[in-house]
Amino acid sequence: MSEHQPTLLITGGDGFIGRHVVAAAEAAGHEVGVLDLRRGQDVRNGEAVEQALDGVDVVIHLAAKVGLGVDVADLPAYASHNDVGTATVLAAMARRGVRRLVLAGSMVVYGEGRGRCTEHGIVAGRPRAENDLAAGDFEPRCVHCGTTLTPALVNEDTPFDPRNAYATSKVAQELYAASWARETDGSVAALRFHNVYGPGLPRDTPYAGVAAIFASSLRNGEPPQVYEDGRQRRDFVHVRDVASAVVVAAARRERGVRAFNVGSGEVRSVGDLAEGLARAMGGPSPVVTGRYRLGDVRHITADSGRLRRELGWAPVEDFAVGTAELAADLSAPAGAAR
């Protein structure tokens, strides 16, 4: 007799990542329910969440307001959607006796992450100063001596260092989940997604992500505008790989909180992504602008070894193939089947 496949409730299941998670979970044999604002279901409504939890074994909490936030005026919106929404879901889970959670975290919790100083070894980078950025000095500097750091991978033990409204709310989500786990003897897999791309990526919005912004320019026959010098290091992970990680984590039964980085393991630059999309879409070459945003981080790339070792997950999507697929998807007319 086969082992029971847990029934899953996926908040934000109609979103970019959510649709892929639903497909992967159903393909793996799970019964799946979806709670999503697009269906008029708000995770800040405790009664609606409780109703959706009927018969559920595991909650996959993806619903969140994304993007960096523009300024301090955005803080209440992030706190409302992300902090209050998560707290409401956790409180409903406690009332209904649901003890397993997969939380969509983010690499933004690490801020500038870690770098290697010639004198002090692996250290945190201090916040980048606006006068340095304006002068084209983009690299993080050692928090102790100010020496320019060589980028290093971050693991899950890297301290939190949120640099914007969204990042702060993602830290808060993890802290709420940890409190819930202690009180309920619950299980939390906090998956810290790196830069997710792939078919279905939102387009033409300020929160769509850099890939969609580049593609929007290319569709208009314009070169992608690359900030700073284009050498910002990122880990671009395909949305289908992310979905498979979520489904694997949903089978985890250990009590307590465990964080897992979810990345491809391949370090690439923002300029690499712009060039790949420009080639795939047959558009003009990217333009490196030197412009900057104070809320951005310079380098953030993951060590995803824990997820591989402990849960047996591995990414399978090829970056070049995935970039071409994304380009085709973003080149299609808006509203076309995707």
Side-chain angles (χ1 to χ4, degrees):
M1 185 173 178
S2 62
E3 184 180 358
H4 165 69
Q5 290 280 59
T7 298
L8 313 179
L9 174 65
I10 303 175
T11 73
D14 289 337
F16 164 46
I17 295 174
R19 292 194 299 272
H20 289 273
V21 173
V22 169
E26 290 178 341
H30 295 280
E31 285 190 45
V32 175
V34 171
L35 186 73
D36 195 284
L37 192 60
R38 296 168 184 81
R39 304 185 183 195
Q41 304 162 316
D42 193 332
V43 293
R44 294 169 293 183
N45 181 330
E47 182 178 347
V49 176
E50 279 205 57
Q51 291 176 353
L53 287 171
D54 187 32
V56 167
D57 302 302
V58 183
V59 172
I60 297 172
H61 184 38
L62 304 175
K65 178 178 174 62
V66 299
L68 295 175
V70 176
D71 54 37
V72 174
D74 289 326
L75 288 172
Y78 282 93
S80 176
H81 285 273
N82 298 354
D83 298 22
V84 174
T86 299
T88 303
V89 168
L90 293 169
M93 291 175 67
R95 290 192 295 269
R96 294 299 300 268
V98 180
R99 297 290 181 263
R100 293 165 62 190
L101 173 71
V102 178
L103 176 66
S106 173
M107 55 85 183
V108 296
V109 300
Y110 299 124
E112 287 288 355
R114 290 295 200 225
R116 182 175 297 279
C117 173
T118 53
E119 181 177 351
H120 296 98
I122 298 295
V123 296
R126 67 190 187 191
R128 297 188 295 167
E130 184 163 12
N131 60 329
D132 289 336
L133 296 173
D137 184 0
F138 301 121
E139 295 298 334
R141 295 180 177 275
C142 176
V143 70
H144 301 297
C145 67
T147 298
T148 298
L149 298 176
T150 300
L153 298 181
V154 295
N155 61 28
E156 293 85 353
D157 297 325
T158 301
F160 291 147
D161 187 18
R163 300 292 176 93
N164 53 61
Y166 174 62
T168 301
S169 72
K170 298 307 286 185
V171 169
Q173 286 184 311
E174 290 201 30
L175 297 178
Y176 283 122
S179 177
W180 168 85
R182 285 192 296 271
E183 294 289 332
T184 65
D185 195 28
S187 169
V188 179
L191 302 185
R192 295 172 182 166
F193 302 154
H194 281 248
N195 292 78
V196 186
Y197 75 100
L201 186 72
R203 57 171 82 188
D204 299 328
T205 79
Y207 305 128
V210 67
I213 294 169
F214 290 160
S216 177
S217 297
L218 289 163
R219 281 199 308 275
N220 293 328
E222 302 168 354
Q225 303 289 303
V226 181
Y227 276 28
E228 300 186 16
D229 58 4
R231 297 175 185 168
Q232 305 95 304
R233 289 161 53 107
R234 296 291 187 269
D235 185 328
F236 296 104
V237 58
H238 197 283
V239 67
R240 287 194 292 267
D241 284 332
V242 168
S244 72
V246 171
V247 173
V248 166
R252 179 182 178 273
R253 296 178 179 274
E254 290 83 355
R255 298 300 185 193
V257 180
R258 192 68 165 159
F260 299 94
N261 287 331
V262 183
S264 70
E266 298 179 350
V267 176
R268 300 186 183 276
S269 72
V270 172
D272 290 338
L273 178 66
E275 290 170 4
L277 286 171
R279 284 194 302 270
M281 297 179 71
S285 297
V287 172
V288 175
T289 67
R291 294 200 298 270
Y292 59 88
R293 295 182 300 185
L294 278 177
D296 286 348
V297 298
R298 176 65 173 173
H299 305 299
I300 184 69
T301 49
D303 176 354
S304 300
R306 177 184 290 180
L307 184 58
R308 295 168 185 253
R309 291 189 305 271
E310 297 186 11
L311 300 187
W313 172 86
V316 299
E317 301 290 341
D318 177 79
F319 181 75
V321 174
T323 302
E325 178 188 29
L326 174 62
D329 183 66
L330 293 175
S331 297
R338 296 155 60 186

